[in-house]
Amino acid sequence: MKTIYILLTKSDSILSRIIHFITMDSYTHVSIAFDESLQLLYSSSRKNGRTVLPAGPCEERISYGYYRKHASRIPCLLYELEVDEETYAQAKREVQRIMENSEEYHYNIFGLLLCQFNIPYHRKRHYFCSQFVSEVLDKSSAIKLPKDATLMKPSDYMCLPELSYRFQGQLWDLVMRQRTMAAM
């Protein structure tokens, strides 16, 4: 068996604050990782770390950039999903395929807005964070989604019975915990 990690966060970025204001959800962003260290996460988010746009599929590092700078005040929730080796490999291949062509992908801002009204909106090569993670998990058959990927919100991950709770707290505490575990 292999483990896929799902990290929910709520930063104090402008987009996160807007999403929180509209949804009142505890978490406004979701990322996926394939290794317990969580040094490399994947999502659809800001590409340069400073501004909301440009955005799209990108690599995120919790020890660098925006996350590192704000980790002490970013609440997070970490889940793990146990899958067989083939499913794990398929999910990883799907992420790598998108990342290899990330310049062809964009942020699905219209999909994000319509998601709030429960209106599915598919646009080729456009993702918002939870749509990105949901499509990776769906295409790899890692999980059966309760609704269309374009309607999945970060908070929906809290209700998926296939996910196992791993950690909840501040992102900085998770970083320190991961470092301690790596040193053992």
Side-chain angles (χ1 to χ4, degrees):
M1 294 297 278
K2 298 285 248 175
T3 305
I4 295 173
Y5 299 90
I6 306 296
L7 180 66
L8 306 177
T9 56
K10 182 176 127 288
S11 72
D12 59 357
S13 72
I14 292 169
L15 184 57
S16 181
R17 283 188 260 162
I18 291 169
I19 293 170
H20 176 70
F21 178 79
I22 293 168
T23 66
M24 297 309 289
D25 289 339
S26 300
Y27 300 97
T28 57
H29 185 66
V30 61
S31 306
I32 187 170
F34 296 97
D35 121 26
E36 188 174 15
S37 73
L38 303 177
Q39 288 304 305
L40 188 57
L41 298 118
Y42 303 93
S43 189
S44 185
S45 184
R46 68 183 77 224
K47 288 192 175 191
N48 68 17
R50 293 190 182 117
T51 60
V52 174
L53 297 173
C58 62
E59 295 178 346
E60 300 173 322
R61 299 179 192 284
I62 58 176
S63 297
Y64 301 99
Y66 186 87
Y67 276 139
R68 180 179 180 175
K69 184 177 178 184
H70 302 280
S72 65
R73 59 180 187 261
I74 296 177
C76 70
L77 180 56
L78 179 64
Y79 288 103
E80 55 186 25
L81 174 64
E82 295 294 324
V83 296
D84 61 50
E85 292 194 27
E86 178 56 30
T87 301
Y88 178 89
Q90 284 179 307
K92 203 168 182 181
R93 277 193 303 270
E94 181 63 19
V95 167
Q96 289 172 343
R97 180 188 65 77
I98 293 168
M99 296 313 298
E100 286 171 2
N101 301 294
S102 65
E103 69 282 347
E104 297 174 14
Y105 289 82
H106 307 282
Y107 196 78
N108 189 2
I109 191 73
F110 297 117
L112 177 64
L113 295 170
L114 292 172
C115 177
Q116 301 310 311
F117 298 103
N118 208 32
I119 300 170
Y121 180 71
H122 294 271
R123 188 170 176 199
K124 189 176 182 179
R125 294 191 176 115
H126 285 71
Y127 296 110
F128 53 90
C129 67
S130 49
Q131 177 189 6
F132 173 86
V133 172
S134 296
E135 288 204 11
V136 168
L137 295 175
D138 186 54
K139 286 182 179 179
S140 65
S141 300
I143 200 166
K144 178 147 176 51
L145 299 174
K147 54 187 162 182
D148 189 88
T150 64
L151 299 177
M152 290 290 290
K153 299 175 186 175
S155 60
D156 291 326
Y157 282 86
M158 297 167 61
C159 303
L160 296 177
E162 298 90 345
L163 300 183
S164 300
Y165 167 85
R166 178 83 183 258
F167 175 86
Q168 185 173 19
Q170 296 300 313
L171 188 59
W172 181 251
D173 296 330
L174 177 61
V175 169
M176 291 296 102
R177 181 176 181 239
Q178 297 302 97
R179 285 184 185 163
T180 302
M181 290 174 54
M184 295 179 149

